[in-house]
Amino acid sequence: MHFLDQAKIFLRSGDGGPGAVGFRREKFIEYGGPDGGDGGKGGDIVFEAVEGLNTLIDFRYTQHFKAPRGKGGAGSNRTGGGGDDLVIKVPVGTQLLSEDKEHVLADFTKAGERRVFLRGGDGGRGNASYKTATNRAPRQHGTGWPGEEMWVWLRLKLLADAGLVGLPNAGKSTFLNQVTNAHAKVGAYPFTTLHPQLGVVQHKGREFVMADIPGLIEGAAEGAGIGDRFLGHIERTKVLLHLIDANAEDIAETYHIVRDELEAYGAGLVDKPEVLALNKADTLDDELLDALSDELEEASGVRPLRVSGATGEGTSQVLDAILERLGEVDEEQPLEKEWSPL
C-alpha cells in the first residue's frame, strides 16, 4: 500500500429541499386552504476516525465529496425527506487544515471519534407556513438554504509512543524490525526508509507503538535530502530514541546534526525525553566503544547505551529506558479535556 500523509479535498454539504405549494381539495371541505409541506434538510459532511487505516492514499483518487440535498416538500403538509449524511472515514491521527494550512480545524486522535464538519442547509418553508389572517391563500414558498462548501487539507500524523531519529544508515529500520512486528526495508545505502513505519513493541508485559521516520541530514529543515516533512509523525510521541552509528567519523557532530534539525523544526521535538544509544556496537571492540561513549557523553551530557539492532544485543536495556521515560511522561500528563464539536 502506498503511503500518503497529505491530501487536498473539496467538501460540500447538501442543499435544503424546496418547500411545496399546495391546497386542500377535499370534496366536502370548504376553504381548504394551503397545505404545502416544508423541504427536507440537506445531508451533513461527517468525518469519522477509524482503526486499520494508516495512509491517505484513497484521497488521491477521490477528491470531491458532496452530500445529497434534501427532498422537496409535498401537499397534505408532508415534509420532504432529509439528505443522507456523507461520512468520510480517515485514519486516527488525521488533522483537517484550512486551505492555506494556517489553521487546524479538527484533530482526530481516537478511534471512533466523529465530527459534523459541514452542516447541510435547512429545507425551505412550504406555503402552509406563510398563511396569515390577511393572506389566506399564500403561493410563496422557500427554495431551501444552500449547503456549505470549502477546500481543506488532510494531514496525517501517526500516533506512536516512541519515535526513532538519526542520520541515514544509523540502523533505525534494523532496530525497528528487531524489537517490533514491523518489516521495514533495510539496505546498505542512505534513505532506505522513504516513509514512516510503525511497529508494536511488547516488552516486560507492556506494549507501546514505535515509529521510524526517514533519516535526517544537515540542512533537512531547508529541504536537504528528504527534508523534515516526516518529523510531523513524531510530534505526538512521548519519547525519542536517538540512534547513532558507532562507525560514524565524528560521533559528536553526528549527534549535534540531528539535534539541530529537531530544534529547527520546532513543535517541541527537541524538548522531548530522549534515549541515546550507540548502534552497531557489535562491529567494534569494547575499548573503542568506551572511547566513543566518552566522546558522546561529553557532547550530549548523558551516557549512551550500547545496542546492536542486527544481533539484538542491548535492545532490552534500550527498551527498559524507553519504558522508564514513558512512565515518567504518563505521570505528568494532565487529564484530557472532553472533546466537543464545533
Side-chain angles (χ1 to χ4, degrees):
M1 179 182 292
H2 295 290
F3 182 83
L4 185 69
D5 61 355
Q6 292 190 41
K8 187 178 182 180
I9 61 175
F10 175 78
L11 306 172
R12 179 176 174 83
S13 58
D15 297 334
V21 175
F23 295 90
R24 297 182 66 178
R25 307 246 180 229
E26 287 86 351
K27 182 176 181 180
F28 299 106
I29 299 179
E30 190 176 6
Y31 308 118
D35 69 348
D38 298 339
K41 176 182 170 295
D44 298 334
I45 296 290
V46 181
F47 281 90
E48 180 181 6
V50 298
E51 293 181 330
L53 295 178
N54 57 6
T55 176
L56 299 175
I57 189 65
D58 292 340
F59 297 99
R60 172 174 289 178
Y61 308 107
T62 305
Q63 297 175 328
H64 290 74
F65 296 86
K66 298 180 181 179
R69 69 175 301 162
K71 303 294 191 297
S76 300
N77 291 308
R78 289 176 291 179
T79 300
D84 293 333
D85 294 340
L86 179 58
V87 180
I88 302 174
K89 297 182 178 181
V90 295
V92 178
T94 300
Q95 292 181 326
L96 271 65
L97 309 180
S98 57
E99 187 175 2
D100 59 6
K101 293 187 176 182
E102 293 295 324
H103 305 284
V104 178
L105 307 177
D107 192 359
F108 298 92
T109 58
K110 296 179 182 178
E113 197 170 343
R114 288 172 64 98
R115 187 164 194 169
V116 176
F117 189 71
L118 295 182
R119 187 179 182 278
D122 292 326
R125 294 164 57 189
N127 71 328
S129 66
Y130 287 94
K131 180 181 177 181
T132 66
T134 57
N135 186 9
R136 308 297 295 273
R139 292 187 175 274
Q140 68 263 45
H141 69 287
T143 57
W145 294 90
E148 302 174 302
E149 65 178 46
M150 66 186 306
W151 285 91
V152 298
W153 279 93
L154 301 180
R155 180 173 66 187
L156 176 61
K157 291 184 177 181
L158 297 176
L159 296 180
D161 301 297
L164 276 167
V165 296
L167 293 182
N169 272 15
K172 301 189 302 300
S173 296
T174 302
F175 182 86
L176 186 73
N177 291 342
Q178 178 69 238
V179 301
T180 74
N181 56 354
H183 300 284
K185 182 179 179 181
V186 176
Y189 53 88
F191 300 114
T192 309
T193 301
L194 297 177
H195 58 77
Q197 301 276 352
L198 288 179
V200 178
V201 179
Q202 293 180 332
H203 182 65
K204 293 188 175 179
R206 290 188 60 183
E207 188 175 278
F208 63 90
V209 178
M210 181 175 288
D212 174 28
I213 62 170
L216 298 170
I217 64 173
E218 188 172 8
E222 283 76 44
I226 297 181
D228 63 0
R229 59 168 296 210
F230 290 118
L231 283 176
H233 293 286
I234 60 172
E235 283 185 26
R236 303 182 193 269
T237 60
K238 302 173 184 177
V239 179
L240 297 181
L241 172 57
H242 187 169
L243 288 184
I244 294 182
D245 187 351
N247 298 289
E249 293 183 5
D250 190 329
I251 290 292
E253 182 184 8
T254 297
Y255 171 79
H256 287 303
I257 287 175
V258 173
R259 296 295 295 178
D260 289 346
E261 293 305 322
L262 294 179
E263 185 172 8
Y265 179 83
L269 292 184
V270 76
D271 299 320
K272 290 184 180 293
E274 182 184 65
V275 176
L276 185 61
L278 271 175
N279 196 20
K280 306 180 184 179
D282 58 308
T283 62
L284 302 175
D285 58 43
D286 289 340
E287 184 178 352
L288 184 52
L289 283 173
D290 288 337
L292 293 175
S293 296
D294 292 339
E295 183 179 351
L296 190 53
E297 183 177 10
E298 182 178 351
S300 65
V302 297
R303 189 72 177 176
L305 300 172
R306 301 177 187 180
V307 66
S308 171
T311 66
E313 180 184 356
T315 56
S316 181
Q317 289 78 8
V318 171
L319 296 180
D320 286 343
I322 293 175
L323 285 179
E324 180 181 350
R325 286 159 178 77
L326 284 177
E328 293 173 355
V329 172
D330 289 340
E331 290 177 1
E332 297 173 1
Q333 287 291 335
L335 292 176
E336 292 187 3
K337 294 183 179 179
E338 191 171 320
W339 176 82
S340 59
L342 283 175

